[in-house]
Amino acid sequence: MNAPGASNSICDVPGIRVGHAENHDLVTGASVILPEAPCVAAVDHRGGGIGARDTVLLGAGSAVPFVHGICLSGGSAYGLDAAGGVLHGMRQDGIGFAVKSEIVPIVPQAILFDLTAGGLKRWEHPPWWDLGLAAYRAATFETSSGNVGAGLGATAGRLKGGFGTASSVEEGLTVGAVAAANSVGDVVFSGTRTFRGWMLERNGELGGQLPPPSKSVESPVADATAGANTTLAVVATDAALTRDQAYRVAIMAQDGLALTTWPVHSPMDGDTVFVLSTGKHIVGDEAATLTRIGTMAAECVARAIMRGVYEAEPLAGYPAYRELF
């Protein structure tokens, strides 16, 4: 039986740091997930409105073997500047692949839409490059949940969304996840306080969930606008995975979205899951161990989504879970 790690966060995976930065006037932010050394990575896209940068480098046939970090940001297409700020910070610190006399960091990114979540949304200079650099500089071996980083302007159905994290440890393997929950779908059963993934709660992390009523009527989608919603997640594990194996874990980890959000993977969503393998723990029986890691990843993603919503504060007219329940 698995259990949460010491901090119940992605930082329970050795060597993983997380950084956040926010612009409260514009109600947007950025987050970075940084391994202590370049590591194997993969990505799985399931939404119909994806916004991403350099994720093609994680695909089959890519000559780039490792990444130096992952960036998540608000700002929709404008937010794709955030990875540039991260790259600048890494270059200053000498982090990246050597290419002749230069270094080139590899930091894939995915963005979510928060441009209508309150705030001024007017700028002389787009803030996301600066937010990416600030998040990189702020990275530590711990992270918080709620209205932080890429989760600041996030909304989840009819509730305020947010940035969440969770971890799981089983038989020497550690898996952790972060998620920025900004879904078009709802994360609670309509008319109840029960999260759709209530059965996965560990140690009261969601306030002590109760089963839903025997009958729960689903409500229509709150705001079905193409490209205006997304849940982003990053999974990290200390298992040594190949890129193909990491991709399989990313596919399985998408089930964490399906366990917590209805509807999911819609034309309106940009749902994306990254996987990082730090390679510290050699896996045994490939199929069985990979299945276990993927199952742990799906659970961690689900709990990270729910924790992001549970820890969020009300903002811009969106009520918070704990405000209501």
Side-chain angles (χ1 to χ4, degrees), residues 200-222:
L200 299 176
E201 181 182 19
R202 298 301 179 88
N203 301 338
E205 64 192 355
L206 304 173
Q209 291 289 299
L210 299 173
S214 57
K215 293 183 179 180
S216 179
V217 179
E218 300 295 356
S219 299
V221 176

Side-chain angles (χ1 to χ4, degrees), residues 42-65:
V43 66
D44 184 67
H45 298 294
R46 293 284 155 138
I50 297 157
R53 169 175 169 163
D54 284 348
T55 55
V56 68
L57 299 178
L58 306 182
S62 171
V64 176

Side-chain angles (χ1 to χ4, degrees), residues 137-291:
R137 292 293 183 212
T140 65
F141 291 105
E142 58 184 13
T143 185
S144 54
S145 296
N147 291 10
V148 297
L152 177 62
T155 57
R158 294 165 178 78
L159 293 172
K160 177 67 183 69
F163 184 95
T165 188
S167 69
S168 180
V169 179
E170 180 180 334
E171 297 179 12
L173 286 172
T174 302
V175 175
V178 296
N182 189 58
S183 57
V184 66
D186 284 318
V187 295
V188 297
F189 289 105
S190 182
T192 78
R193 67 178 291 272
T194 304
F195 279 105
R196 299 185 66 84
W198 64 274
M199 62 287 190
L200 299 176
E201 181 182 19
R202 298 301 179 88
N203 301 338
E205 64 192 355
L206 304 173
Q209 291 289 299
L210 299 173
S214 57
K215 293 183 179 180
S216 179
V217 179
E218 300 295 356
S219 299
V221 176
D223 181 16
T225 303
N229 302 87
T230 287
T231 295
L232 308 175
V234 179
V235 173
T237 178
D238 57 1
L241 304 177
T242 65
R243 177 166 289 171
D244 284 348
Q245 290 173 329
Y247 176 53
R248 176 53 53 187
V249 172
I251 292 172
M252 293 183 69
Q254 287 275 9
D255 291 341
L257 278 67
L259 285 166
T260 57
T261 311
W262 183 91
V264 70
H265 304 147
S266 75
M268 290 78 71
D269 291 305
D271 300 329
T272 297
V273 174
F274 295 93
V275 170
L276 298 174
S277 165
T278 64
K280 304 292 185 183
H281 186 97
I282 304 301
V283 300
D285 182 332
E286 178 180 325
T289 304
L290 197 60
T291 299

